[in-house]
């Protein structure tokens, strides 16, 4: 199957060649989860922007935003989460991913339908979601 015009574009090729896709396995009390992560920008930033891939996509969908923001010194983590069968399991796995990166606070950029994605702000959680930035898009009626 031939590559799409997008995959052959210079911008996308720059993204793929300059960033390493990390596969990070985190373990919590419910089992293991494998996250796909592109981490860009200065690692000293402890409150990065986290861009969560849509359900039918991968972190590569944010390549233009990742390149633009990281060139301005903003730390961005574009990620795709593991398969989880409950919201609580997903939140637990996400919290352990934040432990892995030693993050104190984060900003979330997500699709509208991911409105339930959250990290409980309890004493047990080291991370606090500072801001959630939903991307306008398809909203089911009803």
């Amino acid at each position: 199957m031939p590559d799409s015009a997008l995959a052959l574009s210079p911008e996308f090729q720059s993204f793929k060649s300059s960033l390493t896709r990390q596969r990070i396995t985190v373990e919590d009390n419910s089992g293991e989860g494998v996250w796909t992560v592109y981490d860009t920008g200065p690692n000293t930033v402890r409150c990065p922007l986290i861009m969560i891939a849509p359900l039918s996509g991968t972190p590569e969908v944010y390549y233009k935003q990742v390149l633009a923001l990281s060139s301005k010194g903003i730390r961005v983590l574009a990620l795709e989460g593991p398969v989880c069968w409950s919201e609580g399991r997903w939140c637990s796995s996400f919290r352990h991913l934040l432990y892995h990166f030693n993050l104190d606070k984060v900003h979330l950029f997500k699709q509208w339908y991911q409105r339930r994605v959250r990290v409980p702000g309890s004493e047990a959680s080291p991370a606090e979601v500072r801001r959630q930035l939903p991307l306008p898009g398809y909203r089911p009626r009803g």
Side-chain angles (χ1 to χ4, degrees), residues 26-32 88-89 92-93 95-96:
V26 297
E27 191 171 334
D28 61 11
N29 56 359
S30 301
E32 283 188 353
R89 169 74 176 94
S92 176
S93 184
R95 189 171 30 254
H96 281 78

Side-chain angles (χ1 to χ4, degrees), residues 23-78:
R23 295 187 51 83
I24 298 170
T25 301
V26 297
E27 191 171 334
D28 61 11
N29 56 359
S30 301
E32 283 188 353
V34 178
W35 291 81
T36 301
V37 179
Y38 289 95
D39 184 3
T40 65
N43 287 339
T44 56
V45 174
R46 301 273 310 264
C47 187
L49 174 62
I50 294 184
M51 304 181 92
I52 302 172
L55 293 175
S56 61
T58 63
E60 288 91 353
V61 300
Y62 296 123
Y63 78 94
K64 285 189 177 185
Q65 293 89 345
V66 168
L67 290 174
L69 293 168
S70 64
S71 72
K72 297 181 185 293
I74 298 170
R75 186 175 182 191
V76 180
L77 279 75

